[in-house]
Amino acid sequence: MTKQQHIGWDFNNSYTTLSERLFAKQLPAAVPNPKMVCFNNELANTLGLDFSTVSEDEKAQLFSGNLLPTGATPIAQAYAGHQFGHFTMLGDGRAILLGEHLSPNNKLFDIQLKGAGQTAFSRRGDGKATLRSMLREFLISEAMHHLGIPTSRSLAVVNTGEKVYREETHEGAVLTRVMSSHIRVGTFEYISNFLDVATLQDFTNYVIQRHYPELAKNANPPLALLKAVMDKQIDLVINWLRVGFIHGVMNTDNMSIAGETFDYGPCAFMNNYHPDTVFSSIDTQGRYAFGKQPEIVQWNLVCLAETLLPLIDKDADKAVKMAQELINSFPAIYQEKWWQMNGLKLGFTSISDKEKQLIEDLLSWMQNNQADYTNTYLAIANYHQQIDKKYTAPDFAQWHQRWEEALKTNNISLTSALNTMKQHNPAFIPRNHLVEQALDDVCLKKDATLFNDLLITGKSPYQAQANYKHLQTPPPDGDKGYKTFCGT
C-alpha cells in the first residue's frame, strides 16, 4: 500500500504546456535493486514533503525512478549550448524532469532525476550516472547552499544495483536534483537556432512569468530579462570568487537563467591562491580557470543576448545597439562588486584607492607565497595565534600592520571588522583531497564517516569547529597534480 498521498507532492508541470519541441516525454529507466544512500531531510522539509511514513525501500523505489511521485509528468528537456566555445545540439541525455513541485511557501521547484536512463537526447550515452559522481554533487551542492551561494540542491542519492561502465566499472546511482528551474542560456540558444520567433516569444514570456514576473510590465521585457540575468550572474560569480570555487565547465548549457550554480561535474575549490588555477581534465586551455570565470560569464551573456535580438527590437540594428550597450556595462558593474566583495573579506564596508592597494598587495602576496586562499583570511583574523611561518614572516607582518592602520583610518574597530570578515570568509570549504578520500571511503570501503563529517562541517561553514579542525587543513602538496572529471 503506497503512502504517497501523505508525502505532500504538489506538481504543477507548466513546462509541458510549452511547445512540444522543447521536450520529449520520457519515463525513467527501471533499475534492478535500488537502495537509499543519502537523503536530505532538511531539504524535504523546505519542500513541504513528509517521508516519515514511507519505508526506506519505497523511498528507494521513488528516487530511483521505479515509482513515480503522484502528479509527476516525466520529460527530458531539449536545449543546445556552446561547449568550450563550440555550438552543439544537446538536451537531457541522462536526466528526467519529474515535474515542478509547489512548496508550502508558494515557490516552484524542479524535481529532476539525474542518471535515470537514456532519453531522446542521449546521443551515444547510456543515460546512467556513477555513485561516485552523484555523491560528489550531493556533497558539494549542499556545501554551496550553506555557504549562502545560489545553487541546485540534492534531495536523495540511490544506488541502482547496476554496474556503470566508464574508464572503470562503477556502481550506478540516481541523484534527485532540486532547482528553481533547469532553464539555461542553452535553452534559448536551442529555440533561436532550431525553432521560430513565435516560440521564442512564448518561451521568453514563460521565463519572465516564472522567474522575473516584475519585468512583465517593463517597456522592453526581453531587454529587462537580459539585464536581470546579467545582474544575477554577476552576483553568482562574485560569490564563487569569494569562496575560491571553480565551476570547471561554464558552458552556456550550464548557465542558469535563474542565477543558480549547477552541474557539479569537474568543479573544485582553490587551495593555494592563483587566478590561473584549473583542475578540470578537459579544460586543457584554461578557458574556465578561477580568474577567467567573470569574462566567461560575460561571453555567455553575449550568447543569450544574441538569441533575444528579434524580441528586443524589430529593427535589427537597434536591437544590437541596445543589447550591446547593456552587455558593455558588465565590466564596470562587475568590477565595483568585486572590490566590494574583497573589501568585506577584510572587514571594510567601503573601498577607496588605499583599500584597493591593500587588497591587490594581499592577493599578490598570496600568489607569490603559494598561500592558502581560505586560511589566509582566517590567519588575518587570528593573527596573533599564528605559528605558520608564512604568516609570521616580516612581509606579512608589514601588510597586517597596514591593514590595521587602514581600519583605524576608516573608523572601523577591530571587533567590527572581525564580525564582517566572519560573515564573508568561510572557515570550512570542501577540500578537494578530503572530498576524494570521502568518496573513495564510501564507494570502495562502504565507510561514510568522512563523507558525513564533511556534510556536518558544510552546514556551518562560517563557524570555527574545534572537533573538525583537521578538515580545514589544505593538502601538504597544495593539490599538485589534482584533476577533476566530468563524471558523465
Side-chain angles (χ1 to χ4, degrees):
M1 162 89 180
T2 182
K3 302 287 194 306
Q4 280 215 53
Q5 59 265 39
H6 303 303
I7 291 173
W9 295 114
D10 186 2
F11 279 104
N12 181 294
N13 307 321
S14 64
Y15 208 86
T16 59
T17 66
L18 296 166
S19 165
E20 288 184 358
R21 295 184 66 187
L22 287 171
F23 60 90
K25 290 182 179 177
Q26 181 70 58
L27 288 170
V31 304
N33 188 25
K35 297 271 188 248
M36 290 301 301
V37 180
C38 288
F39 186 72
N40 191 335
N41 283 301
E42 179 203 330
L43 179 54
N45 291 337
T46 300
L47 296 170
L49 299 175
D50 178 7
F51 291 91
S52 60
T53 60
V54 180
S55 70
E56 286 295 288
D57 179 59
E58 190 170 1
K59 262 197 323 201
Q61 296 291 336
L62 194 57
F63 293 115
S64 66
N66 280 0
L67 184 66
L68 288 179
T70 306
T73 307
I75 59 168
Q77 291 177 315
Y79 53 86
H82 278 87
Q83 299 198 311
F84 289 88
H86 303 288
F87 182 75
T88 185
M89 174 61 200
L90 297 161
D92 285 332
R94 60 170 182 160
I96 293 172
L97 180 66
L98 295 178
E100 304 134 32
H101 167 73
L102 193 64
S103 73
N105 61 352
N106 229 29
K107 283 189 177 174
L108 212 54
F109 291 95
D110 274 7
I111 310 288
Q112 184 199 69
L113 298 182
K114 190 173 174 183
Q118 287 182 317
T119 75
F121 309 110
S122 293
R123 302 185 295 285
R124 293 181 304 279
D126 62 7
K128 304 294 173 70
T130 67
L131 177 62
R132 186 186 185 91
S133 60
M134 296 302 92
L135 284 173
R136 194 171 196 274
E137 176 159 342
F138 189 103
L139 184 64
I140 296 179
S141 63
E142 282 306 294
M144 290 288 276
H145 169 73
H146 291 290
L147 282 162
I149 300 173
T151 178
S152 67
R153 294 190 69 186
S154 302
L155 182 58
V157 175
V158 174
N159 189 323
T160 60
E162 293 179 307
K163 295 298 179 193
V164 175
Y165 302 97
R166 298 294 180 258
E167 291 82 6
E168 300 169 1
T169 304
H170 294 267
E171 291 179 84
V174 174
L175 173 102
T176 305
R177 182 159 71 184
V178 178
M179 288 181 75
S180 63
S181 89
H182 286 79
I183 298 166
R184 324 138 191 266
V185 170
T187 320
F188 280 86
E189 289 185 293
Y190 166 70
I191 300 168
S192 174
N193 280 272
F194 302 113
L195 305 184
D196 51 52
V197 175
T199 305
L200 179 66
Q201 181 70 71
D202 286 347
F203 186 72
T204 303
N205 292 344
Y206 171 82
V207 170
I208 288 171
Q209 199 52 52
R210 181 158 175 183
H211 289 296
Y212 304 97
E214 69 282 2
L215 304 182
K217 292 179 182 173
N218 192 282
N220 192 326
L223 190 65
L225 174 64
L226 181 60
K227 173 74 166 75
V229 174
M230 183 174 85
D231 289 343
K232 288 255 190 188
Q233 288 294 334
I234 289 174
D235 287 345
L236 186 62
V237 79
I238 290 284
N239 255 320
W240 291 357
L241 300 182
R242 177 176 64 82
V243 301
F245 178 75
I246 304 164
H247 186 279
V249 63
M250 292 173 67
N251 300 328
T252 56
D253 54 292
N254 292 332
M255 183 164 163
S256 154
I257 291 300
E260 293 173 323
T261 315
F262 78 113
D263 202 320
Y264 286 95
C267 72
F269 282 81
M270 181 173 63
N271 287 310
N272 293 352
Y273 174 78
H274 199 299
D276 294 339
T277 304
V278 176
F279 293 117
S280 172
S281 61
I282 55 173
D283 192 2
T284 52
Q285 305 299 309
R287 177 181 171 89
Y288 300 144
F290 176 73
K292 287 187 181 169
Q293 294 179 124
E295 65 188 68
I296 292 297
V297 167
Q298 186 177 5
W299 194 93
N300 289 350
L301 286 163
V302 170
C303 293
L304 177 62
E306 286 172 349
T307 71
L308 292 170
L309 291 176
L311 307 184
I312 289 171
D313 201 288
K314 285 177 182 171
D315 182 320
D317 291 338
K318 272 189 194 172
V320 168
K321 187 166 184 272
M322 290 158 84
Q324 209 160 32
E325 276 177 11
L326 179 54
I327 297 291
N328 288 347
S329 70
F330 180 103
I333 297 168
Y334 163 75
Q335 202 64 46
E336 187 180 343
K337 291 195 172 190
W338 185 84
W339 284 119
Q340 185 183 28
M341 175 272 288
N342 278 286
L344 290 166
K345 281 177 77 67
L346 291 172
F348 297 108
T349 48
S350 62
I351 297 288
S352 70
D353 287 345
K354 191 174 180 182
E355 288 76 55
K356 287 180 181 179
Q357 191 60 57
L358 204 59
I359 289 163
E360 285 183 338
D361 290 348
L362 177 64
L363 294 173
S364 294
W365 179 88
M366 278 195 267
Q367 186 172 325
N368 294 335
N369 287 273
Q370 297 187 311
D372 184 75
Y373 184 62
T374 301
N375 287 353
T376 294
Y377 290 96
L378 301 178
I380 294 165
N382 302 281
Y383 180 63
H384 299 292
Q385 285 91 54
Q386 292 311 304
I387 51 170
D388 187 321
K389 286 179 184 174
K390 276 191 181 83
Y391 303 119
T392 57
D395 56 352
F396 190 75
Q398 199 175 28
W399 180 91
H400 197 272
Q401 191 176 350
R402 284 171 55 207
W403 172 69
E404 287 187 323
E405 286 166 4
L407 290 177
K408 285 176 189 167
T409 305
N410 283 277
N411 294 316
I412 300 171
S413 71
L414 189 58
T415 305
S416 175
L418 294 179
N419 281 337
T420 301
M421 289 177 74
K422 191 176 177 184
Q423 292 167 42
H424 295 88
N425 295 307
F428 292 93
I429 56 167
R431 297 282 180 180
N432 302 323
H433 68 298
L434 295 176
V435 169
E436 299 304 330
Q437 188 190 326
L439 296 175
D440 278 346
D441 287 353
V442 175
C443 296
L444 304 176
K445 301 175 188 172
K446 308 299 178 201
D447 178 359
T449 309
L450 179 56
F451 186 87
N452 290 331
D453 284 350
L454 292 174
L455 277 178
I456 290 164
T457 54
K459 284 184 193 234
S460 308
Y462 298 97
Q463 303 295 320
Q465 300 171 57
N467 293 350
Y468 295 106
K469 200 162 176 60
H470 60 290
L471 302 183
Q472 190 181 305
T473 310
D477 61 358
D479 279 329
K480 189 178 179 184
Y482 179 62
K483 291 276 180 229
T484 56
F485 300 89
C486 265
T488 54

